[in-house]
Amino acid sequence: MNAIEVKHITKSYGRVRALDDVSFAVGKGEVFGLIGPDGAGKTSMFRILCSLLLPDAGAAVVDGFDVVKQMREVRCRVGYMPGKFSLYQDLTIEENLKFFATLFGTTIEEGYDSIKAIYSQIERFKDRRAGALSGGMKQKLALSCALVHQPSVLFLDEPTTGVDPVSRKELWEMLLLLKERGITIVSSTPYLDEVRCCERVAFMDQGKVMGIDTPDTILDRFKDVFNPPGIEAVAEVQQQTEPVIEVKHLVKAFGDFRAVDDISFTVKKGEIFGFLGANGAGKTTAMHMLTGLNQPTSGTGRVCGYDIRTEYEQIKKHIGYMSQKFSLYENLTVSENIRLFAGIYGMKKEDVRKKMDEVLLQLNFVEHKDDLVGALPLGWKQKLAFSVSIFHEPGVVFLDEPTGGVDPATRRQFWELIYNAAHRGITIFVTTHYMDEAEYCDRISIMVDGKIKAMGTPEELKQEYHQPDMDHVFTYLARKATRIDS
């Protein structure tokens, strides 16, 4: 018996055909994956199946109800976690959950048994605002809100983007428990370990379903997309005597809570330095101090020769920064964004024109220079944001989870840009939750509970902790955390 039937669905946005004659079926109680590169049409498919978007042609049935003709019935039977955090940041955990329960005409008490395994992990923090939660806690709350009305079908559009590997594993353990209760689960994900948690997957590309089979079969059949060849390391940059980043006993406290607790390290010119840690470990707080966005409670730090306490305005002129949230202006074109940020960096117009031509050619964006950034696929946006962040050739570029939610082939292209920048002598300071990316770094530090618990090359760390890869090293250390809200 099928829980979902999709027949010849087509959806266009102007001249762009997001879905092109898509058909597939999902069995009742099945864990089914929708996978594919950025812009493949996965999110459009999710929105149609949740009755949030009308197809141009074709039909879809969810739990026996037509998504167009019986919208109300469909919405009562599905739970949906969109790719972007969908809850209300200024409401508390409990207020968010009450709101979603009310939308479906139920209460937390009535739906408690269906969310108990998940919600009980965050219930003690029910008075905390959603915007103040770590990534893992946000996902548990979002999943609780999607399940509180006891749906029969659960749609998850990249539910673990921006979540550390340990929290990702925990979320999928919860999903497999939901399967045991007979809930049908359809999920998209860029993580290959999560793809393998599905019973079957449909690979989508350019709006079409290119194949449906077991995860291993699909990953092998389309290995050029999901398992691109590794990146060849470029020639090592000559290290300078003076470090580009130097941190000694740095502390950042919020009241009695030490988000960053006495960390010390150095980073040299042209080095790719991985700054890892679980959600809530203190990575972003440390990065904000190094980029001049926040002042330390104690300790010292220098970036590009400037003191982070007294010369933070000078630091901002000599670094690049790419945040977790996309930082360019979506209502401006590609070339307008480049010119805007080049002007902020104080570059001369003639230099901007020459450099822009080089960047557009490198990114294969020449034909897209007049496209609105908001219309670009996520992977394209991220590559553009990185290129803009180093457009002025800074001494250091800080990258805060730059490839979250990006497919493997596009992530490989992104790391080629990183390697090229490092080869030119730009120091790369990067946080990531992809442990295959950690293998690309020259050195890695891993934060746990605000402290640096490990530091070294990927090979050194694997040998020290007797683990086969960086994913196991990270998991081993992260599970020693004592902060209950990380």
Side-chain angles (χ1 to χ4, degrees):
M1 180 185 235
N2 291 327
I4 300 168
E5 292 185 359
V6 175
K7 297 180 180 178
H8 308 295
I9 288 287
T10 297
K11 181 64 183 179
S12 297
Y13 304 101
R15 294 177 296 173
V16 177
R17 180 159 285 194
L19 295 170
D20 189 359
D21 194 26
V22 173
S23 298
F24 63 88
V26 180
K28 186 174 179 59
E30 185 177 14
V31 179
F32 188 85
L34 273 183
I35 62 175
D38 302 310
K42 304 184 295 295
T43 296
S44 293
M45 191 73 254
F46 276 115
R47 292 178 64 80
I48 287 172
L49 292 176
C50 292
S51 78
L52 301 174
L53 186 68
L54 294 174
D56 297 332
V61 174
V62 175
D63 204 24
F65 296 93
D66 187 282
V67 298
V68 175
K69 298 175 183 177
Q70 297 169 296
M71 286 185 183
R72 184 180 295 276
E73 289 84 352
V74 168
R75 291 176 183 177
C76 289
R77 286 163 174 79
V78 303
Y80 178 44
M81 277 181 66
K84 294 181 180 179
F85 184 58
S86 57
L87 306 181
Y88 293 91
Q89 306 269 10
D90 292 331
L91 296 183
T92 66
I93 287 177
E94 186 175 48
E95 288 168 343
N96 267 288
L97 194 55
K98 280 184 177 179
F99 174 75
F100 278 87
T102 302
L103 283 181
F104 291 103
T106 186
T107 64
I108 296 176
E109 291 72 26
E110 286 181 48
Y112 191 80
D113 286 344
S114 65
I115 64 172
K116 181 179 179 180
I118 303 162
Y119 184 58
S120 61
Q121 300 180 37
I122 58 173
E123 189 172 11
R124 75 190 82 171
F125 309 110
K126 62 183 181 181
D127 294 326
R128 184 178 297 182
R129 289 189 304 108
L133 301 177
S134 68
M137 290 178 71
K138 284 180 177 178
Q139 298 308 86
K140 289 169 185 173
L141 174 58
L143 186 56
S144 297
C145 290
L147 291 169
V148 70
H149 62 295
Q150 304 178 57
S152 55
V153 182
L154 182 62
F155 293 103
L156 309 168
D157 191 359
E158 298 189 1
T160 56
T161 296
V163 178
D164 67 79
V166 173
S167 296
R168 288 198 297 106
K169 289 181 176 71
E170 290 176 351
L171 184 71
W172 273 88
E173 287 169 1
M174 295 175 200
L175 295 180
L176 296 180
L177 289 176
L178 295 177
K179 171 187 164 51
E180 293 178 5
R181 286 168 32 197
I183 296 177
T184 304
I185 298 169
V186 182
S187 179
S188 65
T189 177
Y191 295 98
L192 300 190
D193 58 331
E194 294 183 5
V195 171
R196 292 188 174 94
C197 290
C198 301
E199 295 166 89
R200 288 189 305 141
V201 294
F203 172 64
M204 295 184 66
D205 193 15
Q206 297 182 351
K208 295 178 178 289
V209 172
M210 310 303 290
I212 300 176
D213 214 313
T214 63
D216 287 340
T217 300
I218 292 295
L219 293 177
D220 181 65
R221 181 177 168 190
F222 300 100
K223 58 187 174 184
D224 289 345
V225 175
F226 295 104
N227 190 24
I231 300 173
E232 293 294 328
V234 295
E236 186 176 343
V237 175
Q238 185 65 39
Q239 302 285 355
Q240 289 187 348
T241 305
E242 293 296 320
V244 176
I245 301 174
E246 187 173 17
V247 172
K248 294 181 180 179
H249 305 293
L250 201 61
V251 173
K252 181 62 180 180
F254 299 95
D256 295 331
F257 177 71
R258 285 193 168 198
V260 174
D261 190 4
D262 193 14
I263 63 173
S264 300
F265 61 90
T266 59
V267 184
K268 296 180 180 179
K269 178 179 174 63
E271 188 173 18
I272 301 176
F273 187 78
F275 199 58
L276 309 185
N279 296 113
K283 306 184 305 297
T284 299
T285 302
M287 190 177 290
H288 284 173
M289 287 188 282
L290 296 178
T291 54
L293 297 175
N294 212 332
Q295 287 288 291
T297 303
S298 63
T300 62
R302 299 187 75 83
V303 176
C304 297
Y306 298 101
D307 190 294
I308 63 173
R309 283 181 172 275
T310 60
E311 299 174 295
Y312 43 84
E313 291 302 327
Q314 285 297 320
I315 289 174
K316 292 175 185 177
K317 295 177 183 178
H318 291 84
I319 65 170
Y321 179 62
M322 184 176 165
S323 66
Q324 290 174 326
K325 295 180 179 178
F326 184 61
S327 53
L328 301 185
Y329 290 91
E330 301 213 341
N331 291 328
L332 297 181
T333 66
V334 169
S335 57
E336 286 170 343
N337 265 287
I338 293 174
R339 282 195 293 267
L340 172 64
F341 282 90
I344 292 172
Y345 294 135
M347 296 180 65
K348 297 178 181 178
K349 288 185 179 180
E350 55 268 27
D351 293 336
V352 173
R353 281 194 295 268
K354 180 181 178 182
K355 187 71 182 290
M356 186 190 298
D357 291 340
E358 294 174 0
V359 168
L360 292 173
L361 188 62
Q362 182 184 38
L363 296 176
N364 293 320
F365 275 19
V366 175
E367 295 181 0
H368 301 282
K369 66 179 181 179
D370 296 322
D371 290 0
L372 288 176
V373 165
L376 300 177
L378 175 61
W380 291 25
K381 290 179 180 179
Q382 299 301 79
K383 288 190 291 184
L384 176 62
F386 174 70
S387 297
V388 168
S389 72
I390 62 169
F391 195 77
H392 58 306
E393 296 291 320
V396 185
V397 61
F398 291 88
L399 308 175
D400 195 359
E401 296 177 27
T403 55
V406 178
D407 65 82
T410 304
R411 288 198 294 113
R412 184 189 186 281
Q413 295 168 11
F414 190 95
W415 273 85
E416 287 177 340
L417 296 176
I418 288 178
Y419 269 48
N420 289 335
H423 187 53
R424 300 202 305 271
I426 297 175
T427 300
I428 312 293
F429 190 98
V430 58
T431 72
T432 179
H433 286 320
Y434 291 98
M435 291 301 105
D436 60 325
E437 293 184 351
E439 303 274 2
Y440 294 148
C441 297
D442 297 317
R443 280 192 308 140
I444 293 166
S445 76
I446 300 179
M447 288 189 72
V448 179
D449 293 343
K451 297 178 179 289
I452 292 178
K453 290 295 186 182
M455 187 178 298
T457 68
E459 286 304 315
E460 288 170 348
L461 294 179
K462 285 182 281 187
Q463 290 178 17
E464 179 179 352
Y465 293 100
H466 309 290
Q467 301 294 335
D469 53 40
M470 283 307 303
D471 182 68
H472 283 79
V473 172
F474 182 95
T475 300
Y476 173 79
L477 290 170
R479 284 194 164 147
K480 292 181 176 294
T482 58
R483 287 182 182 174
I484 54 179
D485 62 339
S486 63

